[in-house]
Amino acid sequence: MFVTFEGLDGSGKTTQAELLADALRAEGRDVVATREPGGTPLGEEVRRLLLEGMEMSRWAEAALFAAARAELVERVIAPALDAGKDVVSDRFVDSSLAYQGFARDLGIEEVYELNRVATRGLLPDVTFVLEVDPDTSAERVGQSPDRIEREGREFRQRILDGYRIVAGKYKERVVLLDGTRPPDELHEEIRGRLREHS
Ligand code: TMP
């Protein structure tokens, strides 16, 4: 099973990804937990460029995210799934669709096409999008937003709108959840949804 978590920074997705990976392991399942951008030596280098590096053009940004993702799929995610393991990822392709495709206005379809090629069409079985409003996100992230989320409130609102569009497009796969709910309650709901799915 391949499960991904999505949302604005400060949405609680990292906490939920960790809770799920721990719970699956406690059931004796073999789980590979990863994050994007990153998760491989090359991916971590690309992450630094993307989040702390110089300004770049929009398609260069989308292509770098796709490059990090290609590396992660080839070296980590696909081998794990082939070996029958579960993979839990903090972000995956839907981040690019919401951030680059919609918020940066490159086009959700166009950015999907780039990623479809880079990932050889791999999509998660289930994706949880944790929704928090742009102000809650900013409060939770505090004084140190990365290069991308430094863009401001309006941009973060566009990311949220992008995730809603993506959720509408992939109804069978993407679940929207209220990220302001208590973490343990959200975790239980996520477990329930996954049971329904399998
Ligand atoms: P993180 O804070 O969850 O590690 O994500 C890093 C930042 O990169 C975050 O601001 C979201 C952004 N991002 C994109 O813009 N496109 C992508 O495809 C991914 C994976 C992340």
Side-chain angles (χ1 to χ4, degrees), residues 9 13 47 65 69 91 95-96 99-100 146 149:
D9 281 343
K13 65 182 174 45
R47 177 184 180 89
F65 278 115
R69 186 165 298 129
R91 296 193 184 280
S95 284
S96 283
Y99 283 71
Q100 282 67 50
D146 59 49
E149 296 207 351

Side-chain angles (χ1 to χ4, degrees), residues 79-99:
L81 293 173
D82 287 347
K85 298 177 184 173
D86 291 327
V87 176
V88 177
S89 189
D90 182 350
R91 296 193 184 280
F92 192 63
V93 68
D94 300 299
S95 284
S96 283
L97 303 185
Y99 283 71

Side-chain angles (χ1 to χ4, degrees), residues 107-183:
I108 290 178
E109 288 303 324
E110 285 79 354
V111 172
Y112 176 65
E113 200 48 35
L114 170 71
N115 279 275
R116 189 183 62 76
V117 177
T119 62
R120 290 180 286 153
L122 179 68
L123 283 172
D125 297 304
V126 186
T127 297
F128 295 101
V129 177
L130 301 190
E131 293 193 292
V132 292
D133 64 61
D135 298 326
T136 306
S137 161
E139 271 164 35
R140 288 183 175 179
V141 169
Q143 293 306 309
S144 51
D146 59 49
R147 185 182 65 78
I148 291 171
E149 296 207 351
R150 220 176 283 148
E151 296 278 344
R153 187 182 196 285
E154 201 181 309
F155 186 72
R156 290 197 301 277
Q157 183 59 54
R158 284 179 60 74
I159 296 165
L160 285 177
D161 295 343
Y163 274 127
R164 288 244 162 123
I165 295 169
V166 169
K169 197 172 150 60
Y170 296 100
K171 286 197 190 68
E172 68 301 337
R173 171 172 72 80
V174 180
V175 181
L176 290 170
L177 294 172
D178 176 357
T180 63
R181 286 166 58 195

